[in-house]
Structure formats: structure tokens, C-alpha cells
């Protein structure tokens, strides 16, 4: 009798979860470990059960689940779904639940890692190019990511799934790709596309392939680095921005501390997100920036306002976690450091609260504002370059144009104008 009851329970579970029955428990533990609320876990499990029953009806095994299968479930089955309850039908909710399911299956080794829809030839070429960019050129991960993306597009457009044969390309092919890819882009972005392509052609030249003619055919976008003034916030705008954070709640304390790092130290969003607790030296009053764009470790003085904001967050805002990251997520998935996108989103929301959303959206204007304030305060170009961690002072010369009082003192009268 007991054996019969157990068999009935197993049969009901299999009917409810379909082919996902063996992994439902692991999925629930995955969500619970990341701090999701009980009601959210229950909802995501119902979404997984709906997906599992559809997989069973379509005779799709567990090891064949991937993004195209998920897309087919959401776009083909869901609009005409008549499954029995509980079968959640909200696309956004199902998409979130099933993306977490795919991550869990891949992290557990049940599914292979996500593969790109490119040929093995192109994949191997990109791997060798990335090794060149890292070991020979010494480029940062973010820079390598950009170059790989544009080079991948180039190889797919020119060769698709066939072999890579640069000797078959004509200069017009190179020019046409850059022009088509840069249509609608800013001049600076168009220049980056050309730089990525030239970098790849130089890499092939080092491999013994004559690519001089193709390299010369890459068009250059007209862009003058010193033609425009750098964007920056005025003192009143900056005051409104830093006062736009609610420092009475944990999330507001965290966002305010991140904003102070951007405003006072001129850090990039990725640098703020990567700060660790061990990078703070309270006795010396310094902050170590180890994962910077220039791949150098730099010690920066920690301003008093920035230190107080961080201490307030650590004492009254930061949740209990084993993570050594300074800034961590307050919502599920918890116990994970914030990413650059979360830093940018916090700044973007602050712009909206202080009425600057129509002018600014990114974090780099705060870096420009920090440099402009230092220049107006009498700091030298070398000091500003050290704070911003520029390799060359020439990169910092763009901020000379915002020092209007000094420019007025040395400006010559316009020819023909009465003095």
C-alpha cells in the first residue's frame, strides 16, 4: 500500500513538472541561495513546471534545452496556451524564471556552456585574436570585448560559416563593411570600428598574411578630439545631484557612497563596482584601485566626504554577506557584488530626481566634472592626470579648454577687431 502511494506521488510530480522533475529541487535551492523571497520562488517553480510540461509534450529532452527552445515556448506556445492551472502566462515573468533555470542548469553541468552561433573556424580565430590582444598588446578586458565584437561581425559578414580567406577580399569589401556598420553612429564610434578592424588586420600581418592593402583601405572617420568642450556639471547641478539620494534607507546609502566615489575621485563605473573591502586603508586614508582600465594598481587619497559616506553605508546599509566586495546587491540575487550597470542605473535615477535626466544619462560626465573642479581650484595637469590615472598628460589637456579665466588672460584679439 505504501509503495503504491509513493508511486502515485512520483507520477503526479512527473506529470506536473515533466522532464524538469529531476532538477526542480536544485532549481529551488539555487533561487533560495540567492535570496529570493518565498513567493518569488514559488512563482518561478510554477513557471518551470509549465515549461517542463510543454517540453514533455514536444518530446524535448532535458539536455536539449537552450535559448531557441525557450524562445519557441514564449513566442509559439504561449500566445495559444490552454494548459491547465497553475500555468503562468505572463511573458516577462516566464522569461526571467526560465533564464535563471538555464543559468542553473549550466552551472550544475547539466547543460553545456552557452555557445555562440558562429562556426568553429571563426570561434578559433577570435580566440587567437583575443590571446594576441591580451598577451601582446596588453589591452584591458573591456577593450578586448569591443574589438572582438566588431571583428566577429566582420568575419561573419565576409565569410559566414566558410573558411577565413583574407586573400579573397578587396579593399572595397573593407570600406563597405565599415561604412555600413558605422551608419547612424557618432564619429567617435565609427572611428572605434575602424580601429578594431585595423587591429585585426595587423594581427593577421604578424601571422604572415600580407594585409597592407586591406589595412590602408579601412576608412577613417573625421573626428577632432579637441574640437568640443568636455561635458561637466556646474556647482549647483552637482549639489542637486548629490542631494538626490535618500540616505535614510540602505539602498540610498549605498548609491550615495557610489556617487561620492564618482564625484570626488573621478572613478569609472566599472572601478566603483570592483572596489573590495581590502582596498580601503582607513589608517592611511587611501583607496586602492586595482582593476582599472590601465591595468595598474593605484593608491588614491580618500576624501573625508567619500570616507564618511562609505562608513555610513558599511555601518547602517550594507547587508550581512560573505562577499568581500564593498558594494553588494540588496535585492535578489543577493551575496553578489554590484555591476557597472547597477552603478549607472543609480546615477541615472539620481539625474531624474534632480531634473537633469534631459541632459545627462551616463557616469562619465561626473569624471569630467571632477577634473574641471580641480583645474578651477588651481591643480596642475600632472595632478589631474594622476587622479584620473591617465598614462599621458596629453590625454588630460582637453580640460585646459574649460579654464575660461586663464584662456581669457592669454587670448589674442580677433584680427580686425577693435581693442
Amino acid at each position: 500500500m505504501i509503495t503504491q502511494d509513493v508511486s502515485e506521488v512520483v507520477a503526479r510530480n512527473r506529470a506536473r513538472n515533466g522532464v524538469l522533475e529531476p532538477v526542480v529541487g536544485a532549481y529551488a535551492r539555487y533561487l533560495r541561495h540567492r535570496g529570493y523571497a518565498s513567493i518569488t520562488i514559488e512563482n518561478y517553480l510554477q513557471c518551470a513546471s509549465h515549461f517542463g510540461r510543454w517540453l514533455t509534450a514536444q518530446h524535448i529532452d532535458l539536455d536539449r534545452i537552450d535559448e531557441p527552445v525557450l524562445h519557441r515556448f514564449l513566442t509559439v506556445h504561449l500566445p495559444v496556451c490552454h494548459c491547465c492551472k497553475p500555468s503562468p502566462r505572463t511573458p516577462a515573468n516566464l522569461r526571467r524564471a526560465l533564464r535563471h533555470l538555464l543559468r542553473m542548469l549550466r552551472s550544475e553541468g547539466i547543460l553545456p556552456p552557452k555557445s555562440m552561433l558562429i562556426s568553429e573556424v571563426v570561434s578559433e580565430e577570435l580566440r587567437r585574436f583575443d590571446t594576441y590582444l591580451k598577451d601582446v598588446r596588453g589591452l584591458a578586458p573591456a577593450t578586448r570585448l569591443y574589438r572582438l565584437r566588431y571583428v566577429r561581425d566582420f568575419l561573419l559578414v565576409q565569410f559566414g560559416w566558410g573558411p577565413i580567406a583574407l586573400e579573397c577580399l578587396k579593399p572595397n569589401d573593407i570600406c563597405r563593411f565599415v561604412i555600413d556598420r558605422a551608419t547612424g553612429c557618432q564619429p567617435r564610434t565609427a572611428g572605434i570600428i575602424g580601429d578594431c578592424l585595423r587591429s585585426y588586420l595587423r594581427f593577421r600581418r604578424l601571422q604572415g598574411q600580407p594585409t597592407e592593402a586591406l589595412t590602408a583601405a579601412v576608412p577613417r572617420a573625421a573626428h577632432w578630439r579637441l574640437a568640443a568642450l568636455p561635458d561637466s556639471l556646474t556647482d549647483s547641478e552637482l549639489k542637486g545631484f548629490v542631494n538626490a539620494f535618500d540616505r535614510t534607507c540602505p539602498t540610498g546609502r549605498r548609491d550615495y557612497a557610489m556617487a561620492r566615489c564618482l564625484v570626488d575621485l573621478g572613478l569609472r563605473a566599472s572601478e566603483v563596482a570592483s572596489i573590495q573591502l581590502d582596498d580601503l586603508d582607513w589608517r592611511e586614508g587611501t583607496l586602492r584601485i586595482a582593476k582599472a582600465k590601465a591595468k595598474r594598481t593605484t593608491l588614491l587619497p580618500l576624501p573625508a566626504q567619500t570616507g564618511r559616506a562609505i562608513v555610513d553605508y558599511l555601518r547602517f546599509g550594507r547587508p550581512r554577506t560573505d562577499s568581500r566586495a564593498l558594494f553588494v546587491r540588496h535585492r535578489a540575487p543577493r551575496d553578489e557584488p554590484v555591476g557597472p550597470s547597477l552603478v549607472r542605473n543609480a546615477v541615472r535615477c539620481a539625474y531624474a530626481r534632480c531634473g537633469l535626466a534631459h541632459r545627462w544619462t551616463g557616469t562619465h560626465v561626473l569624471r569630467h566634472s571632477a577634473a574641471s573642479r580641480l583645474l578651477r581650484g588651481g591643480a596642475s595637469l600632472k595632478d589631474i592626470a594622476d587622479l584620473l590615472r591617465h598614462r599621458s598628460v596629453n590625454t588630460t589637456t582637453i580640460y585646459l579648454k574649460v579654464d575660461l579665466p586663464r584662456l581669457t588672460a592669454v587670448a589674442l584679439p580677433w584680427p580686425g577687431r577693435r581693442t
Side-chain angles (χ1 to χ4, degrees), residues 136-196:
V136 179
R137 299 294 306 279
L139 299 183
T143 306
R144 302 204 316 266
L145 184 64
Y146 268 104
R147 300 205 174 184
L148 289 172
R149 185 178 73 181
Y150 290 123
V151 170
R152 180 189 65 211
D153 293 346
F154 169 73
L155 295 177
L156 291 177
V157 167
Q158 302 297 335
F159 307 109
W161 289 79
I164 299 174
L166 294 183
E167 62 274 7
C168 298
L169 293 182
K170 305 297 182 183
N172 285 340
D173 298 329
I174 302 292
C175 187
R176 189 183 306 110
F177 169 80
V178 175
I179 293 175
D180 292 344
R181 194 68 176 79
T183 300
C185 298
Q186 295 291 332
R188 186 175 182 84
T189 304
I192 290 175
I193 297 173
D195 291 341
C196 295

Side-chain angles (χ1 to χ4, degrees), residues 51-159:
F51 184 53
R53 292 194 298 273
W54 176 82
L55 291 172
T56 302
Q58 298 294 315
H59 305 288
I60 299 175
D61 296 330
L62 180 61
D63 56 358
R64 291 173 53 199
I65 301 174
D66 54 14
E67 279 76 12
V69 171
L70 192 154
H71 180 74
R72 179 181 162 195
F73 170 75
L74 294 173
T75 59
V76 177
H77 168 72
L78 204 58
V80 296
C81 174
H82 295 290
C83 298
C84 61
K85 296 182 179 180
S87 296
R89 293 180 175 85
T90 306
N93 197 31
L94 281 162
R95 187 176 294 108
R96 286 192 293 267
L98 298 183
R99 283 177 178 172
H100 281 296
L101 177 65
L102 285 181
R103 293 193 191 103
M104 186 277 298
L105 293 174
R106 285 174 175 142
S107 66
E108 295 289 334
I110 300 173
L111 293 181
K114 182 179 179 181
S115 59
M116 300 175 59
L117 297 177
I118 58 176
S119 67
E120 293 184 3
V121 176
V122 173
S123 179
E124 176 62 21
E125 181 75 354
L126 293 175
R127 188 195 64 78
R128 294 194 299 118
F129 182 50
D130 184 48
T131 302
Y132 160 79
L133 295 176
K134 178 182 178 182
D135 297 340
V136 179
R137 299 294 306 279
L139 299 183
T143 306
R144 302 204 316 266
L145 184 64
Y146 268 104
R147 300 205 174 184
L148 289 172
R149 185 178 73 181
Y150 290 123
V151 170
R152 180 189 65 211
D153 293 346
F154 169 73
L155 295 177
L156 291 177
V157 167
Q158 302 297 335
F159 307 109

Side-chain angles (χ1 to χ4, degrees), residues 362-400:
T363 61
H364 220 64
V365 65
L366 301 176
R367 182 174 170 87
H368 290 322
S369 301
S372 300
R373 289 198 319 276
L374 288 173
L375 189 62
R376 292 196 301 268
S380 66
L381 276 183
K382 182 63 170 62
D383 293 336
I384 299 174
D386 290 342
L387 178 68
L388 300 183
R389 299 169 310 287
H390 288 160
R391 288 184 175 181
S392 173
V393 178
N394 292 333
T395 309
T396 319
T397 55
I398 188 174
Y399 298 106
L400 286 175

Side-chain angles (χ1 to χ4, degrees), residues 32-44:
R32 195 177 300 112
H33 177 70
R34 280 155 180 77
Y36 284 93
S38 299
I39 189 172
T40 304
I41 295 176
E42 179 63 27
N43 180 264
Y44 281 8

Side-chain angles (χ1 to χ4, degrees), residues 208-381:
Q209 181 127 22
T211 59
E212 294 86 347
L214 297 179
T215 304
V218 178
R220 295 182 180 273
H223 174 68
W224 293 269
R225 188 175 65 89
L226 301 177
L229 290 173
D231 296 328
S232 62
L233 274 66
T234 64
D235 292 340
S236 60
E237 290 174 339
L238 195 59
K239 182 178 180 181
F241 169 76
V242 296
N243 290 333
F245 295 92
D246 181 11
R247 283 175 268 172
T248 62
C249 65
T251 303
R253 290 189 176 99
R254 180 199 64 191
D255 294 349
Y256 176 71
M258 293 191 303
R260 292 253 53 125
C261 292
L262 296 168
V263 170
D264 299 332
L265 295 171
L267 299 183
R268 303 176 179 91
S270 58
E271 294 168 347
V272 173
S274 63
I275 297 176
Q276 303 292 305
L277 292 174
D278 299 330
D279 294 333
L280 292 160
D281 189 334
W282 297 106
R283 293 183 180 276
E284 297 294 332
T286 60
L287 172 64
R288 180 178 60 189
I289 305 299
K291 297 181 179 180
K293 181 179 178 181
K295 301 177 68 174
R296 295 178 297 177
T297 298
T298 307
L299 281 181
L300 297 178
L302 189 63
Q305 283 185 309
T306 310
R308 282 194 292 267
I310 293 176
V311 168
D312 184 58
Y313 167 63
L314 291 174
R315 295 182 61 189
F316 306 111
R318 191 174 186 269
R320 293 182 179 273
T321 174
D322 295 331
S323 175
R324 297 300 295 171
L326 172 60
F327 300 113
V328 296
R329 292 180 57 90
H330 289 202
R331 298 176 59 185
R334 295 191 178 95
D335 290 339
E336 292 186 6
V338 303
S341 59
L342 193 149
V343 179
R344 298 187 187 99
N345 187 62
V347 170
R348 194 177 299 115
C349 292
Y351 287 150
R353 290 192 295 267
C354 66
L356 295 176
H358 64 287
R359 293 186 58 194
W360 316 112
T361 58
T363 61
H364 220 64
V365 65
L366 301 176
R367 182 174 170 87
H368 290 322
S369 301
S372 300
R373 289 198 319 276
L374 288 173
L375 189 62
R376 292 196 301 268
S380 66
L381 276 183

